[in-house]
Amino acid sequence: NRCWLALLHIGSFFTLFPLRQFEASPLALRVETTDQAERFFAALSQGGQIQVPIQKTFFADRYGIVLDRFGLSWKIMVESKTQN
């Protein structure tokens, strides 16, 4: 099964877009907390493939890349609260 259209709904904003235009470009999702990042990552990895496990890095409190079950690549990140 393939998904051809997606509705992205965040707060009061939403947009409908064809997924074919995103085949080569990952979608980036920046969230506020590590709990949110891990929850989104777990949900998107269901039936998908983890490309970079979600973890703490030198530039983020959490960062990971997952290919969802529809073939979309997602970069999920929580910015580091510490200043370098």
Side-chain angles (χ1 to χ4, degrees), residues 6-20:
L7 173 68
L8 181 60
H9 188 223
I10 301 172
S12 61
F13 170 81
F14 73 92
T15 186
L16 182 68
F17 56 91
L19 294 178
R20 294 183 65 69

Side-chain angles (χ1 to χ4, degrees), residues 4-5 10-11 20 49 51 58 63:
W4 297 102
L5 291 173
I10 301 172
R20 294 183 65 69
Q49 180 182 11
Q51 296 178 321
F58 71 93
Y63 178 79

Side-chain angles (χ1 to χ4, degrees), residues 14-44:
F14 73 92
T15 186
L16 182 68
F17 56 91
L19 294 178
R20 294 183 65 69
Q21 75 188 53
F22 291 103
E23 285 181 4
S25 300
L27 298 171
L29 181 62
R30 185 181 300 169
V31 295
E32 295 292 321
T33 69
T34 57
D35 288 342
Q36 289 174 325
E38 290 173 5
R39 199 170 60 243
F40 279 116
F41 193 86
L44 289 167

